């Protein structure tokens, strides 16, 4: 089955999952990572960290598999949203306000999941406020992606796993190289092509001018990176 055909089988998380303005609403990338999470040996002794939790969709998916889950987000609105969604779904997770995994001791987690901001943007730095915090990743889309890689290498125990999703626009091979440099064995384990959303449609001319997007492109590639700390 082709990646494009499989995209049609993806189903977004339940509509009851709240995502108010300013909090990233679960989309294809979220569901792609939830599918990858379902392939991992997650159980009651698995300690999971969700970096940049947003609505809490990934954290709740891991908790439903039995994991002990901590979720982190820099946005207080996202923190409160994830906590509320956990209460609505009666699923226990710990949600903290903070910047990636800096506050956690090395080797604290068995599995890290992350759907970071990854869309290339005209600004060199990611926005400090507003909804675009959830998707803008700097000129090459990698400002937060690279930081997630570094945070995972620090917070995972030896043998622990990172699952991260991002756009093909920010270069999957660069992620694999970055993770290898950090002592992790990484590979692309899943990919799909999905229709452009409103952000890419609005940014299309700029992306084409920078050579990040072909003039005739009508779909975005999403990839799942799986990496184990050696």
């Amino acid at each position: 089955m082709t990646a494009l055909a499989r995209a049609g089988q993806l189903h977004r998380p339940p509509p009851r999952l709240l995502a108010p303005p300013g909090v990233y609403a679960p989309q294809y990338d979220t569901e792609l990572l939830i599918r990858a999470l379902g392939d991992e040996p997650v159980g009651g002794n698995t300690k999971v960290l969700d970096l940049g939790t947003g609505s809490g969709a990934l954290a709740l998916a891991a908790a439903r598999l039995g994991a002990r889950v901590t979720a982190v987000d820099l946005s207080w609105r996202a923190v409160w949203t994830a906590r509320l969604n956990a209460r609505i779904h009666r699923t226990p997770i710990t949600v903290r306000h903070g910047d990636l995994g800096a506050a956690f001791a090395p080797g604290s987690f068995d599995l890290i999941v992350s759907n970071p901001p990854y869309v290339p943007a005209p600004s060199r730095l990611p926005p400090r406020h507003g909804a675009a915090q959830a998707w803008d990743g700097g000129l090459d889309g990698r400002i937060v992606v690279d930081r997630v890689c570094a945070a995972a290498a620090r917070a995972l125990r030896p043998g622990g796993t990172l699952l991260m999703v991002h756009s093909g626009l920010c270069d999957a091979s660069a992620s694999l190289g970055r993770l290898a440099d950090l002592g992790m064995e990484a590979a692309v384990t899943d990919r799909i092509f999905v229709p452009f959303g409103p952000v890419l449609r609005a940014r299309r001319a700029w992306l084409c001018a920078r050579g990040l997007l072909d003039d005739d492109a009508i779909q975005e590639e999403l990839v799942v990176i799986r990496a184990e700390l050696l």
Side-chain angles (χ1 to χ4, degrees):
M1 183 180 294
T2 67
L4 179 56
R6 290 206 317 276
Q9 295 184 351
L10 290 179
H11 300 286
R12 297 181 184 182
R16 287 183 57 217
L17 204 64
L18 302 178
V23 176
Y24 186 68
Q27 299 183 46
Y28 288 114
D29 47 6
T30 313
E31 184 61 19
L32 187 63
L33 203 52
I34 289 174
R35 182 165 75 185
L37 181 62
D39 292 333
E40 297 296 321
V42 177
N45 293 321
T46 308
K47 295 181 66 177
V48 174
L49 175 62
D50 179 9
L51 291 177
T53 193
S55 67
L58 294 170
L60 292 173
R64 287 194 293 268
L65 294 173
R68 293 176 289 167
V69 182
T70 301
V72 177
D73 205 288
L74 189 60
S75 163
W76 271 112
R77 182 172 296 190
V79 169
W80 289 114
T81 298
R83 288 175 179 173
L84 181 57
N85 280 323
R87 177 168 292 189
I88 290 172
H89 289 270
R90 299 183 180 180
T91 305
I93 62 174
T94 299
V95 187
R96 297 184 181 179
H97 178 258
D99 183 20
L100 297 179
F104 299 102
S108 296
F109 296 94
D110 303 297
L111 176 65
I112 292 176
V113 295
S114 186
N115 182 4
Y118 54 66
V119 178
S123 174
R124 291 183 178 275
L125 297 176
R128 299 182 63 181
H129 306 285
Q133 280 184 299
W135 56 76
D136 276 4
L139 285 175
D140 59 2
R142 298 199 55 86
I143 287 181
V144 183
V145 168
D146 285 337
R147 293 188 63 221
V148 167
C149 294
R154 179 179 183 275
L156 283 170
R157 62 164 179 77
T161 300
L162 166 69
L163 294 174
M164 176 174 61
V165 64
H166 66 62
S167 173
L169 293 173
C170 57
D171 193 356
S173 62
S175 294
L176 300 182
R178 172 68 170 157
L179 290 163
D181 291 342
L182 291 165
M184 304 184 76
E185 184 175 348
V188 173
T189 56
D190 203 357
R191 54 172 27 105
I192 60 170
F193 292 85
V194 300
F196 288 157
V199 175
L200 284 190
R201 288 198 299 269
R203 208 164 285 177
R204 180 188 179 91
W206 180 82
L207 291 168
C208 290
R210 290 206 66 216
L212 295 174
L213 194 65
D214 293 336
D215 291 340
D216 59 351
I218 58 172
Q219 294 169 329
E220 177 187 15
E221 180 188 37
L222 300 176
V223 300
V224 172
I225 306 286
R226 184 183 188 275
E228 291 188 15
L229 183 64
L230 301 177

